[in-house]
């Protein structure tokens, strides 16, 4: 699939589990982002990576740990999450961190039980 | 602080009626404003950006700096326009976006 792909689409995990969300883009972009979409809240920017370096961390708890091994892949490692972390997690990419045309993945629906 | 406000959670109109989805922002500099749309079971996608001054699927939006607004308009709504619409702001020429809470548009036959 071209564009931005996220796996898995759905994830249910216990509070003591460790899981990872994966995002892959085939657009040749150099910037990638994690957003969180909670019920009744606007989309919130979590992390920004540019050329595989983290350039922004918006006060996200350490139980969320991003990883960007190369410009095409972005991971979000999850551990000891709380039920309030249940949300839709969206990955996006853009040409660079100054290019504001962002392309989004379909998201991972995360439920923490 | 930068903020985007979409006052309406749900907007319901009949097919053929005009539609306006409101968006107000707060930012002291020169922002870039966008509208994103998410159709049922599809990913969030860019609808239009104020810099382009384009019309996509019959939608237009004009940046009004005096009123700090970027309302999305369409003169004649179609059923296929039913979706979630998000207004977003980008600042400091950065790729990161600040989103409003979204407005669900429901176009009834």
């Amino acid at each position: 699939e071209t564009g931005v792909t996220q796996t898995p689409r759905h994830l249910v995990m216990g509070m003591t589990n460790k899981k990872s969300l994966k995002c892959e883009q085939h657009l040749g972009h150099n910037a990638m982002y994690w957003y969180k979409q909670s019920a009744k809240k606007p989309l919130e920017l979590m992390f920004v990576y540019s050329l595989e370096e983290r350039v922004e961390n918006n006060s996200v708890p350490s139980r969320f740990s991003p990883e960007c091994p190369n410009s095409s892949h972005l991971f979000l490692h999850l551990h000891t999450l709380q039920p309030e972390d249940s949300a839709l997690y969206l990955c996006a990419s853009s040409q660079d961190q100054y290019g504001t045309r962002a392309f989004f993945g379909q998201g991972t629906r995360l439920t923490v039980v | 602080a930068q903020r985007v406000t979409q006052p309406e959670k749900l907007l319901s109109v009949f097919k053929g009626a005009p539609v306006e989805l409101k968006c107000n922002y707060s930012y002291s500099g020169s922002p870039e404003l966008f509208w994103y749309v998410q159709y049922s079971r599809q990913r969030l996608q860019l609808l239009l950006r104020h810099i382009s001054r384009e019309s996509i699927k019959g939608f237009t939006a004009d940046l009004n700096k005096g009123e700090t607004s970027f309302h999305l308009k369409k003169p004649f709504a179609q059923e296929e326009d039913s979706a979630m619409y998000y207004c977003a702001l980008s600042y400091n020429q950065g790729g990161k976006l600040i989103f409003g809470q979204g407005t669900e548009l429901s176009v009834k036959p």
Side-chain angles (χ1 to χ4, degrees):
Chain A
E1 183 185 333
T2 58
V4 182
T5 304
Q6 290 185 242
T7 53
R9 293 289 303 277
H10 301 274
L11 178 63
V12 180
M13 59 185 289
M15 290 190 283
T16 58
N17 291 158
K18 288 185 180 181
K19 297 286 184 183
S20 296
L21 309 185
K22 180 181 176 182
C23 177
E24 190 172 356
Q25 57 95 2
H26 303 282
L27 301 168
H29 290 165
N30 292 315
M32 296 186 78
Y33 313 81
W34 279 117
Y35 285 87
K36 176 182 178 183
Q37 187 175 33
S38 305
K40 302 181 182 179
K41 281 184 160 183
L43 278 156
E44 303 168 67
L45 179 64
M46 299 175 73
F47 301 104
V48 181
Y49 274 83
S50 177
L51 295 172
E52 300 142 46
E53 283 193 31
R54 192 189 313 179
V55 296
E56 185 156 337
N57 176 346
N58 276 351
S59 303
V60 180
S62 59
R63 57 185 183 270
F64 295 92
S65 175
E67 179 191 2
C68 188
N70 55 63
S71 59
S72 298
H73 294 85
L74 184 66
F75 294 90
L76 187 62
H77 303 300
L78 316 169
H79 64 99
T80 59
L81 294 193
Q82 304 298 311
E84 59 264 28
D85 296 322
S86 299
L88 180 69
Y89 289 85
L90 288 165
C91 174
S93 71
S94 62
Q95 184 61 45
D96 52 46
Q97 65 170 318
Y98 305 107
T100 48
R101 186 185 176 102
F103 292 79
F104 285 80
Q106 287 193 289
T108 295
R109 174 67 64 185
L110 174 68
T111 303
V112 181
V113 297
Chain B
Q2 301 82 10
R3 186 182 301 162
V4 176
T5 304
Q6 291 179 250
E8 302 140 328
K9 280 192 173 181
L10 173 65
L11 185 62
S12 186
V13 302
F14 286 103
K15 177 183 173 182
V19 62
E20 180 179 66
L21 290 91
K22 291 184 167 45
C23 172
N24 289 90
Y25 66 91
S26 60
Y27 177 59
S28 56
S30 295
E32 279 197 76
L33 275 297
F34 305 81
W35 276 99
Y36 280 81
V37 61
Q38 188 168 29
Y39 300 101
S40 179
R41 300 176 185 273
Q42 295 188 31
R43 66 189 67 201
L44 199 62
Q45 56 186 295
L46 180 66
L47 181 63
L48 54 81
R49 53 197 300 188
H50 90 271
I51 280 182
S52 306
R53 299 190 64 80
E54 58 203 342
S55 174
I56 304 293
K57 298 184 180 182
F59 285 97
T60 59
D62 290 317
L63 178 62
N64 186 323
K65 291 188 177 181
E67 295 182 359
T68 59
S69 67
F70 188 57
H71 303 326
L72 183 69
K73 299 177 184 179
K74 184 169 183 177
F76 307 104
Q78 303 299 314
E79 289 179 71
E80 54 265 30
D81 295 328
S82 296
M84 280 293 296
Y85 290 81
Y86 295 94
C87 183
L89 173 155
S90 177
Y91 59 99
N92 291 343
Q93 296 182 304
K96 41 198 178 292
L97 296 163
I98 296 176
F99 285 87
Q101 286 191 281
T103 298
E104 181 181 355
L105 175 63
S106 174
V107 182
K108 299 180 178 179

